[in-house]
Amino acid sequence: MKIFGDFFTFIKRILLVYGILMLCRVVFYILNHELLGAIQLNELPKLIHGALIFDSVSVFYINIPFLVASLLPFRFRKNSGYQNFLKWLFVATNAAGLVLAVADIVYYPFKLARIASDDLVLTQEGNFGSLMMTFVVDYWWGFLLYIGLIVAMYKGFKRIKYRPSTIANNLLYFTSQTILFFVAAFVAVVLIRGNAVKGTYPISPSEATKYARPELISLVQSNPFMLVRTIGSKDKLNIPNYMSPTQADSIFSPIQQVRANNLLQGRRPNVVLIMLE
């Protein structure tokens, strides 16, 4: 419908992100199929359903700024300069999200799980920069895949022609576009929160078990959903302070001194050595 041209243009552009993420998932499976296992034909509908639910969280997390900028109820949206701004906003924000999606492809064999917030500890390592450069060199094809997906996203955006609303009356235009803005915002919030009809709400990473058997859970999950949802998810261990270390040592000390003369007299200590990696 031409009177809602702005809104339908936005929908087409968002669907482009879904397509890119689904393509990443296909590549993810092809390159890690030996670890994930075979997919039965009757499993595909549930896998796709679950993947779309998780991808919806990722898509709208990434594209909140793009949604707001695209659906502002003002006519200046049809200006070529503003549309050019939307193009680069779209590419920049989604390129940031694709970093995680592509990184999952090459990192999965090392962790056997999607990248989550606990992996951020690696960024605190002193050699993180050199480690990343080595990773890029060793997995150069992943870097080329990432560049190729960004180019595809850029070209896809340009092929989606912007269609402004044909409503001539300014009051009717502002009213209708404002309603569409809040409808889109409401839908985005529902999709970001996850499956409100069936399952946990907001959606959690474990929800993937309802759409796939354990071996294929990582195929359903997506990033940046996993990164955002796992931040702060681990409960902090509350260590009670019953007494000071000095007072505890006065009652019993685990450190025992073995005297040389005891060894000479054949009284050997009972020692158990536990090695942890």
Side-chain angles (χ1 to χ4, degrees):
M1 298 175 64
K2 293 183 178 180
I3 59 174
F4 300 128
D6 308 78
F7 185 75
F8 285 114
T9 300
F10 167 76
I11 294 298
K12 291 177 183 177
R13 290 168 173 174
I14 287 296
L15 289 177
L16 175 61
V17 187
Y18 276 94
I20 294 291
L21 287 181
M22 193 59 70
L23 178 59
C24 281
R25 182 175 278 103
V26 172
V27 177
F28 176 86
Y29 178 74
I30 291 174
L31 296 180
N32 295 292
H33 70 278
E34 293 183 358
L35 298 172
L36 294 167
I39 298 177
Q40 303 300 321
L41 189 60
N42 60 350
E43 293 180 302
L44 277 177
K46 288 187 69 175
L47 286 173
I48 295 174
H49 180 202
L52 289 175
I53 289 176
F54 279 87
D55 277 353
S56 294
V57 184
S58 295
V59 167
F60 284 95
Y61 258 132
I62 298 169
N63 287 283
I64 289 175
F66 179 72
L67 181 152
V68 173
S70 296
L71 299 180
L72 288 174
F74 302 108
R75 293 191 185 275
F76 62 71
R77 291 178 299 177
K78 65 181 180 181
N79 296 340
S80 59
Y82 192 76
Q83 287 299 310
N84 194 50
F85 160 73
L86 287 180
K87 176 180 65 180
W88 290 112
L89 175 64
F90 177 86
V91 172
T93 52
N94 287 289
L98 278 177
V99 170
L100 291 171
V102 175
D104 269 329
I105 297 173
V106 297
Y107 189 61
Y108 181 79
F110 297 95
K111 187 185 178 184
L112 298 181
R114 292 279 189 169
I115 295 173
S117 60
D118 55 349
D119 295 298
L120 294 178
V121 69
L122 296 175
T123 62
Q124 302 173 8
E125 298 290 337
N127 62 340
F128 178 73
S130 59
L131 185 63
M132 284 302 299
M133 288 303 299
T134 303
F135 205 68
V136 170
V137 171
D138 291 342
Y139 296 94
W140 54 269
W141 54 266
F143 181 74
L144 292 181
L145 173 65
Y146 174 67
I147 298 299
L149 290 174
I150 294 177
V151 172
M153 187 165 50
Y154 174 83
K155 289 184 175 295
F157 188 96
K158 290 185 66 175
R159 289 180 65 87
I160 301 173
K161 300 299 182 183
Y162 173 69
R163 307 293 182 187
S165 172
T166 57
I167 299 175
N169 182 278
N170 287 333
L171 180 60
L172 182 59
Y173 174 87
F174 178 79
T175 302
S176 62
Q177 298 302 308
T178 300
I179 292 174
L180 287 175
F181 176 87
F182 283 107
V183 168
F186 174 77
V187 172
V189 169
V190 171
L191 292 176
I192 287 174
R193 297 286 287 176
N195 190 356
V197 178
K198 178 183 177 183
T200 59
Y201 193 70
I203 191 172
S204 64
S206 61
E207 190 78 8
T209 57
K210 296 186 178 181
Y211 304 98
R213 47 192 164 83
E215 303 95 302
L216 298 174
I217 285 177
S218 294
L219 188 60
V220 173
Q221 295 167 339
S222 68
N223 257 316
F225 163 82
M226 286 297 296
L227 182 65
V228 175
R229 275 290 194 268
T230 54
I231 292 177
S233 62
K234 293 184 178 180
D235 297 329
K236 293 183 178 179
L237 181 63
N238 184 21
I239 303 177
N241 183 21
Y242 294 112
M243 62 186 70
S244 67
T246 303
Q247 185 179 359
D249 288 340
S250 66
I251 299 174
F252 175 78
S253 176
I255 301 175
Q256 302 293 325
Q257 299 293 334
V258 179
R259 300 182 181 278
N261 59 346
N262 289 339
L263 294 176
L264 294 175
Q265 296 174 9
R267 290 180 293 177
R268 297 182 179 182
N270 185 11
V271 177
V272 177
L273 181 62
I274 302 176
M275 299 181 66
L276 298 177
E277 182 179 353

